[in-house]
Amino acid sequence: MLSATHHGKHVKNILIILTQNDQSQLNVNESISALLLFASFNLSISVLFRDAALSLLQMPAQPTTPLQHFLKSGSKMVQSFEFYDIENLYILTKDQAHPLVKSSTHNLMTTQLDRAFIQQFDHIITW
């Protein structure tokens, strides 16, 4: 496996596993904000969407409450991943037929959360 380097230094490969949806909005926003911050430090970020976080793959809905005007939706933040060069977006193979996945416009790769997959990464963070 080739590892990415930046100015001669090994770039850390980090897998972030998102498990929450927009209903747990503050947690999701904090997690995605941290993820974007990591990406801005030349870390190689991959994201695995699972469980309730599959809902983040949807196009953002319009705000339904006044509070939501102040909170960025998690799914809107996911739309901005491409600007941070976060291109490795994964779902579990078992979720590929899920309606939220089928209607997603993101370029998703399927994986098994097994040892071979996990060993590609220097760090794994679950939120």
Side-chain angles (χ1 to χ4, degrees):
M1 179 177 102
L2 295 174
S3 59
T5 57
H6 182 72
H7 299 295
K9 291 182 182 165
H10 172 72
V11 174
K12 294 276 188 217
N13 285 319
I14 299 176
L15 174 66
I16 308 238
I17 302 174
L18 294 177
T19 61
Q20 304 198 9
N21 63 14
D22 262 347
Q23 304 313 306
S24 50
Q25 196 143 28
L26 288 173
N27 289 346
V28 168
N29 282 3
E30 287 173 9
S31 300
I32 294 175
S33 294
L35 185 156
L36 296 175
L37 182 66
F38 290 164
S40 68
F41 281 104
N42 261 337
L43 297 169
S44 175
I45 305 292
S46 298
V47 182
L48 171 65
F49 296 88
R50 64 180 299 182
D51 306 326
L54 292 173
S55 68
L56 298 173
L57 297 169
Q58 293 305 290
M59 289 302 286
Q62 294 305 310
T64 53
T65 67
L67 177 63
Q68 286 176 307
H69 285 287
F70 297 103
L71 293 172
K72 231 182 190 173
S73 88
S75 49
K76 262 196 187 127
M77 293 171 85
V78 169
Q79 299 288 322
S80 71
F81 280 7
E82 63 185 288
F83 300 112
Y84 290 85
D85 292 328
I86 300 172
E87 296 167 353
N88 297 330
L89 304 179
Y90 295 95
I91 55 160
L92 296 176
T93 305
K94 70 176 181 67
D95 291 330
Q96 60 189 347
H98 193 289
L100 291 170
V101 170
K102 282 189 165 301
S103 63
S104 172
T105 58
H106 295 284
N107 186 13
L108 301 167
M109 296 176 278
T110 58
T111 188
Q112 300 285 345
L113 198 52
D114 58 16
R115 183 181 211 165
F117 178 69
I118 287 170
Q119 285 182 329
Q120 300 173 53
F121 302 98
D122 297 305
H123 300 287
I124 297 177
I125 302 168
T126 302
W127 280 316

